[in-house]
Amino acid sequence: MLETVLRRDQDFGTPAITRALKQVSLQIDGQTIQVPEGTSIMRAASMLGLNIPKLCATDSLEPFGSCRLCLVQIEGRRGYPASCTTLAEEGMVVTTENKRLADLRRHVMELYISEHPLDCLTCSANGNCELQETAGQVGLRQIRFDGYDKTQANKTSDNSNPYFTFNPDLCIVCNRCVRSCEETQGTFALTVDGRGFESQISTGLNTNFKDSDCVSCGACVTACPTGALMDNSVIQMGQPNHAVITTCAYCGVGCGLKAELKGEELVRMTPWKNGKANEGHACVKGRFAWGYATHPDRITTPMIRASINEPWRKVSWEEAINYAAGEIKRIQAKYGKNSVGAISSSRCSNEEVYLVQKTVRAALGNNNIDTCARVCHSPTGFGLKQTLGESAGTQTFESVTDSDVILVMGANPTDAHPVFGSRLKKRLRQGAKLIVIDPRTISLVSTAHAKADYHLPLKPGTNVAMLNAFAHTIISEGLQNKAFIAGRCDSDTFKEWLEFILLDENSPESAATITGVPAQTIREAARLFATGGKAAIYYGLGVTEHSQGSTAVMAIANLAMITGNIGISGVGVNPLRGQNNVQGSCDMGSFPHEFPGYRHVSDAATRKQLEQAWQVKLDANPGLRIPNMFNAAISGTFKGLYCQGEDILQSDPNTQHVEAALTNLECLIVQDLFLNETAKYAHVFLPGASFLEKDGTFTNAERRISRIRKVMRPKSGMADWEITQALSNALGYPMQYENPSEIMDEIARLTPTFASVNYAHIDKMGGSVQWPCNPQNPEGTPIMHIDSFPHGKGTFVPTQYIPTSERTNKRFPLILTTGRILTQYNVGAQTRRTGNTAWHEEDLLEIHPHDASDRGIENGDIVQIASRVGQIAMKAKVSTRVQPGVVYTTFHHPVSGSNVITTDNADWATSCPEYKVTAVQISKVENYASEWQDHWASTDKKQHDFLKSAESGTHEHT
Ligand code: SF4
Ligand code: SF4
Ligand code: SF4
Ligand code: FES
């Protein structure tokens, strides 16, 4: 059912009522139905299969009652009320069709159509237009009025947005777009200008969609019942004719999407209404930025070369795989078993990641497997395991609907997790309180119709001091949840922690000197957190990517436990995971010390189970983490790396160090879509498949396992799991999976938290299920730790603040912190190959006006950023979003080299790099030519020339 669905889902007209206290029973056209109190007559009728004509209503939006097409007759009531705004009542008797209603509706429709151009045959919405369908539904046969020329003349289309066009000629002013922007997206970019016949949709005075507040989420386009707001791809290609449900491959929200196609050609992506992570919403990336999948830069033929100073040679799959396997075997024979390893991709599916780690452990015979979580949320895995007993967030996204207080720390949800950001903003508009702990004034601090109650702009690197001061305030003022602590937490570790937290060094006064935030503000925010009702913590890389990342995660867990904010809806510890499948890649055993399901490699029982299943002896010693691999490569003991779908050269810190490591490898195998930065140093290129080209599952930040489905054949002929399988076979460890479903069955057999997961069960559960999903929790686990923690009681860990060694001084007086923006995604390999570049052509350095003027820097000037490890140059953007002393940039464009200046400092427990704190100096320069940027440009040219010559076939031999 989920594989191929109709283009338009059933629209019940008004939203479902999910929390009604009672049911009401009514009769509609002679049929009796029971619905939750608060349900509209329109929805109740729709549930009976009776589709009342409508235009302004749709079930993703609150009823508006403007079009008057949905009139019904109710026994004992005068007039003809609108069924979308009239609620079902006990004993009501409703008629939805009779002659009078039909006449009224036809008349209303006639008025609409009289103002509408009658060029349906050439309209892009033809065949999928609610206006057209409703005109047919009400039986409109003639139009006696001619309002079109008078009212609609001289209106011009707005095609400023790269992805959709607004044609006011086709607009019926139903307001669905305005309401989508307000209710679903929370941006309030649209308004209705004028009155009566003159009214029209507007993006504000003298502006267009592109330059307005619009964030291009597409909610208005999806909601528009006519062709007025239309995807450009549909205008160009025509209406799609079938659809496949899949899951977004960008961020950890994991939105359900509907790939709408003509044959194998993707026409558009729309948000899937029944996607539980997104409930019919998406952002500019998932909704529109899929063009990279068919971009001409895609490499679709395997390539090999003996040296990175030689051109590529296009070869068959067989030759590439045999060459790669031969090289790995040669290196292991020469340098030992541990001289090779792999990095799995958090953009690939669970099944694919599972195979990569299995190949490392079973075919290479070591545990040298790591993943990009190393550089983002490895402290989450460690910190939550130590305290709450499980390496994952505790809630569903939907849980935020019940939160009274929301603490957002080191995360920027409106940019990095936009669909969750919209949910969060909705809850804020309903009155929830917000505390933002972030060095920058992120958008949430002041958003349309909602403001943070407290913004604590702490100095980068001082999270732990801030969190300790929150806990100190709560305990010293007796605001803790004593019952939860006594009933659910371990008393010994609590006692020890209590002594620690009451030390003066953890007081708000001490924290004020460390964080730069006044003690009184810290106290007030802490009191609000402890006493404001259900309090939820959402955090991101601004917490984890520090020398004390793991400590901060544990401090967050401590805070949730002392306030009893665990185990119910509306509370919890919620890491906002970055990549689409970073949770999954960790779950699948991508860490060098853990097998699938977070079981330590030294655990004999787990090893025995896997050894029996895999028929191979497993290493009991943890393998190398990514930074250890780099160090070992530089020292000459690590010589071969299989890197699946991760651009380590651009994404990992201290680029020059990474480059030195990659250059020292004798065989680097890169499996990717494009010649990314890492691939420029590769000897084998295995062309990967995009998420549109394969089946499998992704696991999002809520532990939600969702299906991805193949909508087109792999451009290279192989899905990524097939490539890994072929490599493993060539290495001598046999794998014979016929399809990803078989891999998932094996994962379920061998991983207790996945024991009941299989594709049929996921489909049965409505398309996704949250782990643990096993015989104890067959329907999955939306909220964790309800009655107890996996290890019984919650464990407190003292979290002493230790300042980072990365200090500012006269030479490097400013702190650089890095992050993402809405329209680009991580290293930008995907989004830079889409229309999203319209919003972010280059990385910019945000600098406070004071720091800028001290240095004679103005907006748009080119500046040099120098740190202890390197220098780069980029344009400055003078902004008060950063505080004095702090500068900020993104890392989406390789030419910027943002990670040339980040250092090797890392989290003490997990080696997660300290991206968020780099001491730098900024100075104005005349051009971009930093030494590194010159080097990058020449390497880039040389490697692209090598690629071109391989493509043109001018170099057939190495
Ligand atoms: S643009 Fe579409 S959704 Fe917006 S008012 Fe016009 S017809 Fe309605
Ligand atoms: S695309 Fe999204 S943000 Fe832009 S106007 Fe439409 S609903 Fe609003
Ligand atoms: S919020 Fe994340 S998962 Fe959803 S559409 Fe945007 S990028 Fe994709
Ligand atoms: S659908 Fe009810 S008034 Fe428009």
Side-chain angles (χ1 to χ4, degrees):
M1 178 193 79
L2 295 166
E3 305 249 349
T4 306
V5 293
L6 294 172
R7 260 182 295 119
R8 187 147 357 117
D9 300 312
Q10 183 176 4
D11 185 343
F12 292 88
T14 61
I17 302 297
T18 51
R19 295 174 183 210
L21 294 177
K22 69 177 205 201
Q23 300 276 311
V24 293
S25 181
L26 71 160
Q27 213 185 72
I28 307 176
D29 292 348
Q31 300 186 64
T32 302
I33 184 166
Q34 236 193 14
V35 293
E37 190 172 39
T39 301
S40 70
I41 293 176
M42 176 178 278
R43 188 174 180 96
S46 189
M47 289 161 73
L48 284 169
L50 304 167
N51 288 322
I52 300 172
K54 61 182 188 303
L55 279 177
C56 69
T58 184
D59 58 12
S60 62
L61 300 171
E62 294 303 322
F64 191 59
S66 71
C67 76
R68 311 298 297 166
L69 264 169
C70 67
L71 311 180
V72 290
Q73 215 169 352
I74 302 174
E75 220 173 77
R77 290 214 189 163
R78 288 172 53 201
Y80 302 93
S83 61
C84 63
T85 49
T86 308
L87 302 186
E89 288 175 18
E90 184 62 39
M92 219 176 213
V93 178
V94 181
T95 301
T96 72
E97 294 290 346
N98 61 29
K99 170 139 190 354
R100 179 67 187 137
L101 289 169
D103 287 346
L104 284 169
R105 288 176 188 153
R106 256 195 306 275
H107 184 68
V108 172
M109 189 48 115
E110 190 180 354
L111 288 172
Y112 271 108
I113 298 295
S114 70
E115 293 170 20
H116 201 81
L118 294 177
D119 52 4
C120 289
L121 286 183
T122 52
C123 176
S124 59
N126 189 18
N128 189 15
C129 170
E130 290 182 49
L131 184 68
Q132 195 181 50
E133 287 162 22
T134 313
Q137 192 184 0
V138 302
L140 185 69
R141 296 289 174 264
Q142 58 167 343
I143 298 151
R144 291 161 295 169
F145 322 109
D146 180 12
Y148 172 62
D149 284 341
K150 280 203 299 282
T151 60
Q152 305 293 321
N154 301 324
K155 290 185 180 170
T156 50
S157 288
D158 176 347
N159 46 22
S160 59
N161 185 291
Y163 296 120
F164 60 82
T165 296
F166 173 50
N167 180 353
D169 241 13
L170 304 177
C171 176
I172 56 171
V173 201
C174 68
N175 225 284
R176 274 159 68 158
C177 53
V178 179
R179 288 181 286 140
S180 301
C181 195
E182 294 175 2
E183 292 176 31
T184 311
Q185 167 53 29
T187 291
F188 295 76
L190 300 177
T191 180
V192 183
D193 274 354
R195 287 167 158 260
F197 283 138
E198 298 306 316
S199 58
Q200 57 180 357
I201 299 303
S202 163
T203 47
L205 206 57
N206 299 327
T207 188
N208 56 27
F209 270 89
K210 163 94 189 329
D211 298 327
S212 70
D213 289 341
C214 168
V215 292
S216 200
C217 71
C220 56
V221 184
T222 307
C224 181
T226 72
L229 277 162
M230 182 55 79
D231 299 76
N232 289 343
S233 56
V234 175
I235 294 173
Q236 284 148 18
M237 299 167 73
Q239 289 287 335
N241 53 28
H242 68 286
V244 177
I245 300 299
T246 191
T247 304
C248 181
Y250 278 114
C251 85
V253 177
C255 295
L257 297 175
K258 211 156 75 160
E260 302 191 20
L261 301 126
K262 281 183 162 184
E264 268 191 315
E265 229 183 333
L266 186 55
V267 178
R268 72 175 160 193
M269 274 296 190
T270 48
W272 184 36
K273 243 169 112 167
N274 300 326
K276 297 209 177 72
N278 56 317
E279 294 179 340
H281 191 31
C283 81
V284 61
K285 294 187 282 275
R287 175 77 163 83
F288 295 116
W290 39 267
Y292 70 88
T294 50
H295 194 277
D297 284 355
R298 278 280 300 269
I299 300 174
T300 54
T301 310
M303 303 186 298
I304 60 174
R305 58 182 175 178
S307 144
I308 62 168
N309 293 313
E310 287 179 9
W312 287 101
R313 185 161 67 94
K314 286 184 180 181
V315 294
S316 66
W317 271 112
E318 194 185 2
E319 187 174 351
I321 295 285
N322 285 337
Y323 181 79
E327 279 297 279
I328 291 174
K329 285 197 255 184
R330 177 188 66 77
I331 290 168
Q332 283 193 301
K334 186 168 171 191
Y335 300 99
K337 189 179 76 170
N338 294 326
S339 58
V340 295
I343 297 174
S344 68
S345 174
S346 294
R347 294 183 197 180
C348 283
S349 67
N350 287 318
E351 294 77 0
E352 290 166 340
V353 169
Y354 175 83
L355 284 203
V356 174
Q357 65 86 33
K358 184 174 173 182
T359 300
V360 170
R361 303 190 202 278
L364 304 188
N366 64 41
N367 287 315
N368 290 338
I369 170 73
D370 209 352
T371 187
C372 76
R374 176 69 49 219
V375 298
C376 65
H377 268 286
S378 50
T380 289
F382 176 85
L384 296 187
K385 184 101 179 168
Q386 300 301 309
T387 48
L388 308 183
E390 191 59 271
S391 298
T394 61
Q395 311 294 122
T396 58
F397 287 134
E398 207 248 336
S399 157
V400 80
T401 313
D402 287 321
S403 299
D404 301 307
V405 181
I406 301 162
L407 168 57
V408 176
M409 183 168 195
N412 187 4
T414 54
D415 279 36
H417 301 87
V419 165
F420 173 70
S422 291
R423 260 191 213 262
L424 196 156
K425 288 192 286 183
K426 189 173 196 169
R427 185 62 193 146
L428 296 178
R429 292 197 301 277
Q430 291 166 347
K433 305 282 185 203
L434 175 67
I435 302 165
V436 173
I437 304 179
D438 201 288
R440 291 172 74 224
T441 308
I442 58 169
S443 308
L444 270 184
V445 171
S446 177
T447 174
H449 302 280
K451 281 202 177 3
D453 296 83
Y454 293 97
H455 173 213
L456 313 183
L458 76 184
K459 286 185 195 146
T462 63
N463 288 333
V464 172
M466 178 63 80
L467 289 161
N468 285 346
F470 264 55
H472 180 100
T473 304
I474 290 164
I475 295 286
S476 60
E477 298 188 9
L479 306 177
Q480 70 270 40
N481 185 331
K482 295 190 179 95
F484 187 90
I485 297 167
R488 297 286 311 274
C489 303
D490 174 66
S491 56
D492 291 343
T493 55
F494 175 68
K495 248 187 242 154
E496 193 191 333
W497 175 84
L498 189 67
E499 253 176 59
F500 156 77
I501 208 68
L502 287 171
L503 296 174
D504 270 354
E505 68 188 46
N506 294 318
S507 69
E509 285 68 27
S510 302
T513 60
I514 298 165
T515 62
V517 178
Q520 187 55 20
T521 313
I522 299 175
R523 267 187 210 288
E524 287 172 14
R527 286 176 195 141
L528 172 62
F529 183 82
T531 62
K534 291 180 186 168
I537 305 171
Y538 291 86
Y539 71 91
L541 304 182
V543 164
T544 55
E545 290 176 342
H546 287 275
S547 62
Q548 280 204 293
S550 292
T551 317
V553 172
M554 293 188 288
I556 282 174
N558 292 339
L559 193 57
M561 286 192 288
I562 57 164
T563 50
N565 281 306
I566 295 281
I568 52 171
S569 185
V571 302
V573 176
N574 305 279
L576 293 172
R577 315 288 305 236
Q579 308 241 40
N580 54 315
N581 197 34
V582 67
Q583 178 71 52
S585 75
C586 299
D587 301 342
M588 292 299 107
S590 284
F591 285 137
H593 66 295
E594 282 170 341
F595 292 128
Y598 302 101
R599 292 164 297 168
H600 203 274
V601 292
S602 64
D603 178 53
T606 306
R607 251 193 352 272
K608 190 171 164 207
Q609 180 204 25
L610 294 175
E611 282 173 349
Q612 272 172 3
W614 294 350
Q615 291 293 297
V616 70
K617 185 90 191 126
L618 294 172
D619 192 340
N621 300 304
L624 297 174
R625 297 171 173 180
I626 293 172
N628 306 129
M629 291 182 194
F630 294 155
N631 291 340
I634 288 170
S635 67
T637 56
F638 187 78
K639 289 289 186 183
L641 177 65
Y642 169 34
C643 182
Q644 181 201 48
E646 186 173 351
D647 194 357
I648 44 179
L649 190 72
Q650 192 181 335
S651 64
D652 284 39
N654 195 352
T655 306
Q656 293 171 102
H657 179 75
V658 181
E659 186 186 3
L662 298 187
T663 312
N664 254 14
L665 294 174
E666 290 188 7
C667 181
L668 172 59
I669 305 160
V670 166
Q671 183 172 323
D672 216 293
L673 304 182
F674 306 106
L675 187 83
N676 61 18
E677 298 307 297
T678 308
K680 292 173 185 168
Y681 296 80
H683 307 88
V684 180
F685 187 92
L686 304 175
S690 79
F691 78 114
L692 297 168
E693 295 160 28
K694 56 199 181 187
D695 288 303
T697 55
F698 290 153
T699 306
N700 76 353
E702 323 158 279
R703 298 167 279 104
R704 184 180 297 287
I705 308 160
S706 302
R707 285 291 313 278
I708 51 166
R709 293 181 178 82
K710 186 155 118 180
V711 303
M712 54 182 77
R713 282 164 295 175
K715 301 251 169 276
S716 69
M718 298 259 262
D720 292 278
W721 65 270
E722 293 174 297
I723 301 170
T724 306
Q725 171 159 288
L727 185 62
S728 182
N729 284 327
L731 284 164
Y733 179 78
M735 288 188 188
Q736 266 120 26
Y737 303 101
E738 291 285 323
N739 53 54
S741 171
E742 286 182 9
I743 306 173
M744 180 50 86
D745 292 345
E746 178 176 315
I747 295 166
R749 268 198 310 279
L750 299 176
T751 315
T753 43
F754 276 65
S756 297
V757 179
N758 60 58
Y759 289 3
H761 187 59
I762 293 174
D763 288 352
K764 193 174 137 213
M765 292 300 300
S768 66
V769 68
Q770 285 171 275
W771 68 258
C773 176
N774 46 27
Q776 300 83 54
N777 312 281
E779 301 201 340
T781 311
I783 295 175
M784 293 190 68
H785 317 313
I786 291 176
D787 300 314
S788 68
F789 295 96
H791 51 217
K793 303 262 174 165
T795 307
F796 282 87
V797 179
T799 51
Q800 192 192 353
Y801 168 67
I802 298 169
T804 166
S805 58
E806 178 70 5
R807 305 277 166 83
T808 53
N809 60 16
K810 257 194 180 158
R811 210 169 136 220
F812 302 109
L814 303 172
I815 291 285
L816 170 80
T817 185
T818 61
R820 292 192 240 162
I821 60 153
L822 170 70
T823 52
Q824 291 292 328
Y825 185 70
N826 282 7
V827 295
Q830 296 149 293
T831 42
R832 278 186 283 108
R833 292 180 171 94
T834 69
N836 281 24
T837 44
W839 291 278
H840 186 82
E841 284 175 329
E842 58 186 325
D843 295 312
L844 300 169
L845 182 86
E846 283 184 18
I847 182 167
H848 190 274
H850 292 169
D851 294 324
S853 89
D854 282 355
R855 292 162 176 77
I857 295 166
E858 290 181 10
N859 224 5
D861 282 350
I862 301 168
V863 292
Q864 186 196 61
I865 314 168
S867 76
R868 290 184 175 95
V869 296
Q871 298 96 36
I872 53 166
M874 62 175 67
K875 268 190 201 155
K877 180 179 171 187
V878 179
S879 164
T880 51
R881 275 164 73 97
V882 285
Q883 52 181 297
V886 177
V887 290
Y888 170 86
T889 191
T890 49
F891 51 94
H892 303 304
H893 292 266
V895 63
S896 326
S898 303
N899 281 320
V900 171
I901 47 179
T902 52
T903 70
D904 289 331
N905 284 356
D907 175 44
W908 62 272
T910 65
S911 309
C912 179
E914 192 179 35
Y915 289 109
K916 302 294 182 186
V917 188
T918 307
V920 294
Q921 177 58 295
I922 309 293
S923 47
K924 189 169 159 178
V925 289
E926 288 310 312
N927 57 48
Y928 288 102
S930 83
E931 203 180 311
W932 181 85
Q933 272 150 329
D934 286 347
H935 165 70
W936 178 85
S938 66
T939 307
D940 187 59
K941 179 169 181 333
K942 182 169 114 182
Q943 292 298 333
H944 274 101
D945 285 347
F946 286 163
L947 179 65
K948 262 186 231 147
S949 58
E951 280 168 351
S952 62
T954 51
H955 287 268
E956 287 299 320
H957 306 285
T958 56

